[in-house]
Amino acid sequence: MRMQLSSGMTFFAKFLPAVWLLLPTSLAVVLLVRWDPGFFIVAGFVLVCFTLFWFSSFRLKAVIATDHGLCVSNYVEAVLIPYSQVAHVSYSFFNRQRVTLVLKSPCRFGRQIVFVPYTYFTFFGRREHPVVEFLRVRCG
């Protein structure tokens, strides 16, 4: 059994902010080469944007459920995390519907795995995503 748990748009949500940052970063480099004082404003803007993107997009992973565990990928490398290694599953409805997996011991990607689950439409009765229920049953 293989089941895609993360959104199909994860790749774009992860890498489009990096592409967007190319313009202000290249402007900062040009201003630095010219010794223009505007460099500090643009560099500050780039730093703030990078920090925001780090916490919102760059940490996202692609997650696939298999019979043996979770295949977690950052699009460069992938690791298999057994279900028994997941200590806690949390869901944030307000933070762009993110699922956070806290691991018992760190893996290649750290102790927390953050991903956006696949799109799921519901009416007002349900608050948690089915992926969270699936993971709690498998890891519990």
Side-chain angles (χ1 to χ4, degrees), residues 14 54-55 58-63 70 72-74 79 81 85-92 95 98-115:
K14 184 177 179 80
W54 175 261
F55 288 106
F58 294 157
R59 298 184 319 151
L60 293 177
K61 304 290 185 271
V63 179
L70 298 170
V72 179
S73 170
N74 66 352
V79 295
I81 300 172
Q85 282 290 76
V86 178
H88 180 68
V89 178
S90 64
Y91 177 69
S92 175
N95 188 8
R98 295 186 187 256
V99 175
T100 303
L101 306 173
V102 179
L103 306 177
K104 293 178 183 173
S105 61
C107 73
R108 168 69 185 92
F109 301 126
R111 195 171 174 104
Q112 288 188 350
I113 306 296
V114 180
F115 69 96

Side-chain angles (χ1 to χ4, degrees), residues 123-137:
F123 294 102
F124 302 102
R126 187 178 207 132
R127 296 296 292 188
E128 284 195 331
H129 199 282
V131 164
V132 176
E133 295 173 18
F134 171 80
L135 288 171
R136 286 186 178 149
V137 167

Side-chain angles (χ1 to χ4, degrees), residues 13-14 16-25 40-59 96:
K14 184 177 179 80
L16 277 182
V19 172
W20 183 88
L21 271 177
L22 286 176
L23 181 65
T25 303
F40 296 104
I41 295 170
V42 176
F45 175 75
V46 169
L47 186 63
V48 167
C49 289
F50 181 82
T51 304
L52 290 173
F53 290 150
W54 175 261
F55 288 106
S56 66
S57 300
F58 294 157
R59 298 184 319 151
R96 286 182 46 194

